[in-house]
Amino acid sequence: MILRRLRGAFGTALTWATGWFVTGLLVITASNLLHIGFREYLDFSIFRALEYAGTVAAVGFFTGLAFSLYVAAAFRGRSLQQLKPATVALGGAGVAALFYLGWLAVFGGLASLVTSGLLLSFALPAALGGLTAYGSIRVAQRALPASLDPAGTLPA
């Protein structure tokens, strides 16, 4: 039972990391093509883009783990079909924003919270977390066959 939970949390974290990697790669490429934002990445190269996307993927991985803990704690005992994707997405947005703020504080120092601005510190991670959480729960609801788990409840 514990191995199944760990596998689920790890799978969620990998899914989030993959989604955040692709998003980070698209954002850094688009910002460099349009010459907006990210001054430290203005000398664009594929290696710099992959470095940025890798950092975003690392944040996504650990945020996915935190999201798994959130779902396990907040929705314990409810069936997967009872979960409303919008509610889960709101929770995922909150988890992502708080986790990213913590990530900045730990790895960037407290000064980075002030210099990075509200958009990068809160809005973008929240939007990405909400979208990823919504997608995760929708895929999980569609993937659960009724014959395998008639109650569809999350493990207690």
Side-chain angles (χ1 to χ4, degrees):
M1 183 67 129
I2 189 83
L3 289 177
R4 196 171 91 187
R5 289 182 192 171
L6 288 174
R7 186 188 67 195
F10 188 71
T12 299
L14 284 178
T15 302
W16 279 53
T18 303
W20 286 39
F21 178 85
V22 171
T23 302
L25 193 59
L26 291 173
V27 165
I28 195 65
T29 302
S31 70
N32 277 284
L33 290 175
L34 299 173
H35 302 291
I36 55 172
F38 301 105
R39 288 185 200 102
E40 66 270 15
Y41 293 100
L42 284 179
D43 55 338
F44 184 75
S45 73
I46 191 65
F47 298 112
R48 298 287 303 240
L50 290 174
E51 174 191 359
Y52 176 79
T55 303
V56 173
V59 175
F61 181 84
F62 291 109
T63 306
L65 283 177
F67 174 73
S68 295
L69 292 173
Y70 162 74
V71 168
F75 302 110
R76 181 170 299 212
R78 294 190 193 171
S79 72
L80 193 55
Q81 290 78 16
Q82 288 176 331
L83 299 180
K84 296 188 183 338
T87 304
V88 176
L90 186 61
V95 166
L98 291 174
F99 191 85
Y100 187 69
L101 287 173
W103 182 280
L104 279 178
V106 170
F107 292 107
L110 294 177
S112 67
L113 292 175
V114 176
T115 60
S116 62
L118 180 64
L119 182 66
L120 291 178
S121 297
F122 186 74
L124 287 178
L128 192 53
L131 290 172
T132 311
Y134 182 86
S136 296
I137 199 66
R138 292 296 295 170
V139 168
Q141 286 176 337
R142 291 184 182 183
L144 184 67
S147 62
L148 291 179
D149 188 14
T153 56
L154 294 172

